[in-house]
Amino acid sequence: MHHSRYKLAIFDLDGTLLNTAAGIEAALRHTIKELGYTVPCNMSLSDYIGPPIEQAFTELCGLEGEALHTAANRFRTQYSTHDLQKATPYSSIFDLLRSIQALDIKTAVATYKREEYAKRLLHHFGFHSYFDVMHGSDSAGRMKKKDLIRLCIKECGINDPSRTVMIGDTQEDARGAAEAGVDFIAVTYGFGFQATKDALPHAPIGIARTPMEILPFLKQ
């Protein structure tokens, strides 16, 4: 029997399990253009992959209130009907998930992606057989990352949050883990962290440059 200190590993989706950049960027550019705004062609939109999509329309178009809500809904329609499956699983991510299963650690997904889209995407790429629980954002977008993490913990029947670790590539993941009282592993192969430990607000227990580099931290 393994002696890992963890009973549950929770993964972010965008930038951690799947490289979803192509689809999100395509839908974002399309929606911004449709709304009559312009994004410089050479501008990378990768900063907006992972956080709630509203942030992109606030910062790039100055939208708020009802206009912001409308823009976010337009984006989601475009993304789900045309661009959802423009994604690539990160190299060796399935090897990692098989190794975690062998350690008898439960697994979950906590993502800001709308839950129905997240589930469609995870099924499409065959991730569903590796995860016990999946939670995404609600339609009103009210749930914070810490809420999604807590839902996963509750549903997996983990009584002690300290036996859980969150794995993700953005500050949102790090913050959510800290607020939910769980450990955090930062991955730098995604969109968010291209950084060192010093740049992170909540010190991670480890930094992984590839999916398989996550594994040693789970074996502790």
Side-chain angles (χ1 to χ4, degrees), residues 85-157:
Q85 288 168 7
K86 293 176 185 168
T88 319
Y90 285 106
S91 170
S92 77
I93 194 75
F94 291 109
D95 294 333
L96 171 70
L97 294 170
R98 279 190 284 273
S99 301
I100 293 173
Q101 280 185 330
L103 288 173
D104 204 27
I105 297 173
K106 287 186 174 180
T107 50
V109 175
T111 174
Y112 271 131
K113 226 179 199 52
R114 185 73 68 82
E115 189 164 297
E116 59 182 292
Y117 305 158
K119 286 186 171 171
R120 264 170 56 195
L121 202 48
L122 291 163
H123 273 80
H124 177 76
F125 287 101
F127 279 103
H128 57 287
S129 56
Y130 293 98
F131 287 100
D132 297 288
V133 169
M134 298 174 195
H135 279 293
S137 145
D138 54 308
S139 57
R142 291 200 185 95
M143 310 233 343
K144 296 275 183 231
K145 189 65 86 154
K146 67 174 179 194
D147 303 318
L148 297 166
I149 292 171
R150 284 177 180 148
L151 271 176
C152 292
I153 292 172
K154 187 179 176 189
E155 212 166 302
C156 288

Side-chain angles (χ1 to χ4, degrees), residues 17 52 84 112 143 150 162 200 204 220:
L17 295 174
L84 186 66
Y112 271 131
M143 310 233 343
R150 284 177 180 148
S162 72
L200 306 183
Q220 291 172 6

Side-chain angles (χ1 to χ4, degrees), residues 12-15 20 24 45-53 55 111-113 145 169-170 172-173 191:
D12 174 49
L13 193 159
D14 300 279
T20 49
I24 291 173
L45 298 177
S46 59
D47 289 354
Y48 302 108
I49 300 167
I53 204 66
Q55 192 178 317
T111 174
Y112 271 131
K113 226 179 199 52
K145 189 65 86 154
D169 73 313
T170 65
E172 295 273 348
D173 298 319
F191 312 116

Side-chain angles (χ1 to χ4, degrees), residues 1-9 97-107 132 158 163 215 218:
M1 205 57 195
H2 81 94
H3 297 291
S4 171
R5 56 182 290 198
Y6 298 115
K7 288 187 168 181
L8 172 63
L97 294 170
R98 279 190 284 273
S99 301
I100 293 173
Q101 280 185 330
L103 288 173
D104 204 27
I105 297 173
K106 287 186 174 180
T107 50
D132 297 288
I158 309 297
R163 304 295 299 274
L215 195 58
L218 300 181

